[in-house]
Amino acid sequence: MEAAKSTEFAKISKQFAEAPRKGKEDLVEVSERKAQQFKASHLLLVLFFLWIFSLHVVGIFFFTKGFLLTRLVLDHKSDCSTPPIELSPYLQKSRLKAGGCWYPQTFERAVVVIIDALRYDFTIPSDRPHHFHNAFTVLHETAIATPQNSFLLPFIADPPTTTLQRLKGLTTGTLPTFIDMGSNFAGTAIEEDNLLTQLRDAGKTLVHLGDDTWHSLFPGYFHENLTRSYDSFNVWDLHTVDDGVTQHLLPLLEPANVTKWDVIFGHYLGVDHAGHRYGPDHPAMTAKLQQMDNVFREIISKLDEQTLLVVMGDHGMDTKGDHGGESDDEVEAALWMYSKKGVFGRSKQEFIQPPLTAKERPVAQIDLVPTLSLLLGMPIPFNNLGEPIEEAFIGSAGNRWQDVASINALTAAQINKYQREYAVAHGFDESTFKDSTNLWGIAKSNWDKYISIKRPTTSDARTASLAFSKYQQETLGVCRGLWARFNIPSMLCGVLILLAAAVVLSIYARGLKRDVINLTSRLLRSITVFSTVGVLFGATLCTLVAAIPFVDASLLCLTAGGMIGFGLALGKLPNRPATLTLGSSGFVLLGEIASLFPWSIWGWLAFIFTVSQSAGFASNSFTIWEDEVLLFFLATFACVGIVSSYGQTEVTDRVLGVSQSCIFLFFTRLSSLSRLCREEQMPFCKSTYYASASSSTSAPWQVLIPFALAIGLPSLIKSYYQGTLSYQGSAIFWIGSALRMGLLGSAIFWSLDAADDGEWFNIDKGMLKTVKTAIAQLVLATAFAAGTTTFAWAKPCVNIEVAPSKPDSANSDSAIKPKSVTILGYANVHGSRFFLMFSNWLLATILLQKPMGGGSLGVLSLQILAFIEIIDSNDLSKSSICSVVLGVLGNFHFFKTGHQATLSSIQWESAFVPLKEIRYPWSPMLVTLNAFGAQILAAVAVPLLVLWKQPVKKKGLLGDVAKALATHILYYAVINVATTMASYRDLLGTAESIIEMDQEMQQVESTLGIMGKKCNTRLLEKNSSNLRSWETERGAASQERFASISQLAVLRSCPEVISRLLKRNGSVLLAAKVLVISRLLHKKLSGNQRTLTYVDGLRNRLATLRQKLLSAIDQRFKDPSTPVEGLVDAMSAFSLATSSAPVDAVKHFHYMRAEAINFQLESHTDGHTESILALQTFVQTLRETLSITPRHLGDALRKLGAGPLLKGKDVRSLVEFNLDVHESWLGDDIRSFTPYVRHDSLQKQVTEKLLSQWAKVTLGTYLGGLRAVFTSINDLEEIISLRKQILDTWFASHTNVASVDKSEVLDALRDIFNARLTRVIQEKCNSLGQISLSILAILDTWQSSVSKDSISLWDSRMTSMSIQDGGELFKKELVSRNQGRIRAIQPILQKYDEWLDSIDAVERIVKALAESKWEEDIDEIENEEDSLDSRQVLLGTDDPRIITDERANALSQAYSNLQNSIQSTFSTLQGSDNGYKAIFVLRVLRELNSRTPVGYSSGSLGADQIPALQRTVAHMVVETSLSECGSRITKALKMTSVPGRSLWEGDPNLPVLPSAWIFRLLQTVVKTMGGVGNDLWSPDAIRHLKAALRSAVAKEFASPSDESPQTNGDTIKKSSEGDNMSTSPSADAINGATVDPTAIATSEGLEDVITQQLFDLTCLDSATAVENRSDIANQEFSHLLEDFKTKVHIPADLVIQLQKSAEAYWNRVSLLFALLN
């Protein structure tokens, strides 16, 4: 019984013991099952949203297919042998004579250069203060100076103004369509007929240089060896492409290379990149345009007569430097053609001057194609729609109308041929081209008539040409209309699909009350089945009906099937009520559909925001001001949030909601300060995103924004975490450290970028870009790599605190309170952890934004945190307002980060933030993150709406997240539908607009023609005659009224006359006279009440014109090129306009000239030239003052006061005054007014005194400015050149002013020159210290690879080296290796050689100074104390001596410093372990000592240290050799017999050969010596080596009496009497080798060993003999040798014989060891 109980008890105990383990296993199993269910649900949601995404993709595909227009491309090609029209006899004769296809070939070669974004006004001189003016002047200058060689015209591009589309138009002659804009960044090869295809088919050699876009359009067209392409999208790089094009273009223009090519296409990108990076109005644009000016001047000089040069812009740029749209600045490019043949011309004389604006005489870019084709003798491409440019064919005399008619006939005929083929291919009826067909008939009839005339006149040719031109213009208009037709059915399909997708999203997100997680699997099954059925149905339909496109039908049926499946799945929901909506089948439940409509204020607010924004796209004003509308939406939400939060019952919710709503409103207004204005918003909007409206760079103060973010943003985020005690765990590291450091890295990046843009520091741009790239990559790695790892693997942001047990003070029984556990951060586990993921994306997007945009995104993150607190306090996590406001926030900050809904606002430079070049797919991804960073952040934050402050175990969180995300997508889907519908509505009128444009232009031209006919001179004269007749008939009663009218008419004309004179640089004196007349008339009319109002209105205008007149006078005074007559005119005008005395006019002239000199000295463009100009201006002012005063100016003033102003010829010639009519009515006081000018006050003594005072002050100013100019010059040759020019200018001035002592001026100039020369020489000499720094740097960072650098002449790299071009490289390498110039030494030698060149340049400078000759006027020598010889002594002897002395002193100091530096370095190179370092230093010293500056002897560098270095190297070589031969020496010391005893000779027998170890040792030493370098072994070095070797051998050897020889461990001892050895080893193995038994160790054998060793040491003594044997090493070895001589038991004469034998042996073999000799 007891046993049974015990068994039962054990069983029960076992069950209790196993119960916890099973419970734990069940819990793990449940957790794993839930995890798998979560992953499955997550995957299903992803698949469902992918289906939603596919619906949008299909909808957008069909919409864009109908919206983005395409043009049917014909594969026809123009043929050289078949002209499109019958040629005239004249043309046939010319073609046979000159060659060519349809038209005589004018040029054999062409250089076609595209300067990307070359706007037309960049090439036109202007007095407006813009950086892009007056920098690229060569085009305008040549067009005016040599009109027969060149012409410059506006070159109008067809939008879109992107490079790829412009290249298509420039090569094919066709118009772009909307589809082209989308392909700008992924161009495909042009398949239609084009200019390059015709050239290639004709066997021409084509070369391309520059933008690599050409190679995507014309793959395989260009010569491989001559072509150089460059990446085109690195807008940060202004110079690489341009420098590369110039570098390879100029050599091809040399006479020896012109036969290698036929047409060169060059594409410069620097101007475009400067515009993108800085904007057009920036100094960088000036520098780039000046570079282009210099380049093309050089190209012009290299051209021959058979080469045509074409320079053009493919488009322009707007005020910010962007392009892509259709504004005037973007479409107005420039075209310039040049040839030394002189075949160009103008049809009218006034056309010689290039148009002042692009509105005058523009040509279309497509006109270039027929022009180039015909000039090069090629057929016109088949698809061309352009017409030839008249200036290229009219001839230098402007009368070759036969050629113009011929080319227009050929072009129009080709267009007609294309028109007919296109109509047939597209199926157009005859009515489509009805008007153009009629015009073609007229033109063809005129042409037939023209070619039938034997001698046609110019009028006949012009008539025929005009008819063809009208046809071409009409056909171009028709084609524009055809290609502006949209595919309406396709667009409607797209809109319907997008609308259906929005309905699906609305039902899924807001129409289902149940959890969507369980429903999603049912929906996906149904969608998959019906989508499959739809695809099969579509494929079957295409098979039955061949006309239906397969792709279109399949996609439509696929989409429709998915929609049906979705609806049927909803209709089969379980537990649905009987009443259904939407038909008997029932797609959705009535209770479910009811929730689609808002039932709360928040729901209605979300509905209004979405619908209002969507409906607003129907209004252009809304589209333009969308950012302001979104600002209003967000402010409205904040205000409603304040009201709603205030009504909460919980105090905590109330306070939190109100405060966060206020914070949300504050940040909304703060972020609105960042804006980038559209062109349509001007002038009501001011851009703050960049430094200015015309800039593409940030303002300097904006660089502080990223630093403010780095300091404040993590702390603000931390405050939100601390609200729920969630600042625990990984949040502390990531937010407190990683995020802050990442933001700091971003701030440093943008600071360096601002420094690069503003050139704050003189740092290499390549290095600066490398540092920036490294920082950006590190920040992105922190965001995506470290951040993602932190989010994925880190534990929740919680911390568990356990309070220890303690007595219960409330319980008197001393009860113990149990331990308490507190979980900090438990209330926000999900939200705090997910925000870490949001912060990763935040950090990455902030980096990719400009500083202002980064600040906007930082504010966005704080708005989102405030927003989710508002959601939590108002319990809105399931409301649609959450996702909608996030969408509004994303769109709002899209505008606040410097973007607009325009192509030109894309910030392409963001692709190069972490990269140096384009890399796919990273570059497009970076641009996407930059453009849509705000929307991406808003989308990433959607889960926070549901997860923030939610319970850990709350059910349905994943479903709530899915609904929130669906609602967020629904917001964008509705806007997408609205956008497409609005675009559809707007663009329906595009075709009509394009067609109406041509009609309006024709009406304008007709109106202008009528106006021209009515405004002819004959009609004007008739009207004037009638007016005079009418005045004669009037009575005297109306005289007063007529007088007022005449006076008022003349007064009204005065401002116009003054403005015209000033604008056209007319006479300022005449303008001053008109100004005086206007004053008189104004004063007279001011008393007339009838004219008082008008006269008062003219007062301000006249005052403004007076200021402009004085400014014009000042400009005349300042301009040194103003002739003396002009200065006299200006002084007279100043006296007249200001009622000043002549002395005041002279003073003002001097004052203006002083300002001009100051400006020239302070100019930063070219200080060298400006300083010379300033001196020339000074000298010229002295001469002009002496020339003008007092005689010339006095005569002019006397003439001015000689008679009434109105009687002067210049005044009477003003047609605006019409004095023939009005003079008699002006009044006697005005008609007889004569200005009073005191011309007699201008005495010679007065003017000379004024001049002396001015000269003294101005000269001092000039010398001070000149000193500042020289401070910035570091090149000696530039200094000497400028010195020569300034002195020549001064000596040639022949000034003779009392206050100007020429000798003192000369001394002052010499002091400036010599001081700067001395300073530059000192700096150059002191740069020798860089050599010691380089040596120390290599020694401090010593690497074994330096010592392993091969100098052998027989390694593979040397033996395989090419010996082309005379083997120059081989010989250079051979010399370098022979002299031990390893790679580590070469940079030092290069620096030293560069330094030597700079020092030797000083010697050349001195020689040039000494040889300079200074000419002087003989008359001047006679009047001055100094003579020609004294001047020559000062400038040709004293100055060179000063410079020479300074050079010697500076060199002495520099070499002394170098010696001291080297001496301090040598103390660290003791010991054989520093052998290779010693070798390196020895070689450097040898090279430095072999090269010294010309005329200077510095002594030997390191002379005292070189022996120590040589000893270090010698010890290293000996130790290395002994380490290899040590075992052999040891064996030699231990041997008991001589293996080669039988080879001994003589009687008695003596050794004649040394032991093997001697030969091996010497061989190893020589080999080691050669290994470290043959160049090292000078006699001194060999002496040190021999001493080291003798010492080492002496230490290795010991006397035979000190240690007994051994064999394999058996000791052989000598008896005291010299008997045989006590033991002997085996006869078969001594030292491991078989020996003769007779060689067993005996007393005699030991004697032989000692004799052999004596011979060996004697041989070694001969090999290492040195002259000086007194040193310790030699003494040790000598003692060893003497010791052996005493120990050997042979007579002394035999010892001498043995010694001579050893010496003879060494003499025979010494050549084998050459380095030791």
Side-chain angles (χ1 to χ4, degrees), residues 1590 1656-1665 1669 1677-1678 1681 1699:
R1590 292 168 72 90
D1656 294 341
L1657 292 175
T1658 304
C1659 286
L1660 185 62
D1661 180 57
S1662 300
T1664 60
R1669 294 176 176 262
F1677 190 81
S1678 298
L1681 193 61
Q1699 183 175 355

Side-chain angles (χ1 to χ4, degrees), residues 1484-1503:
V1484 172
L1485 290 177
R1486 184 187 64 211
E1487 296 293 343
L1488 296 184
N1489 287 324
S1490 66
R1491 304 173 175 139
T1492 56
V1494 176
Y1496 178 79
S1497 177
S1498 63
S1500 179
L1501 285 173

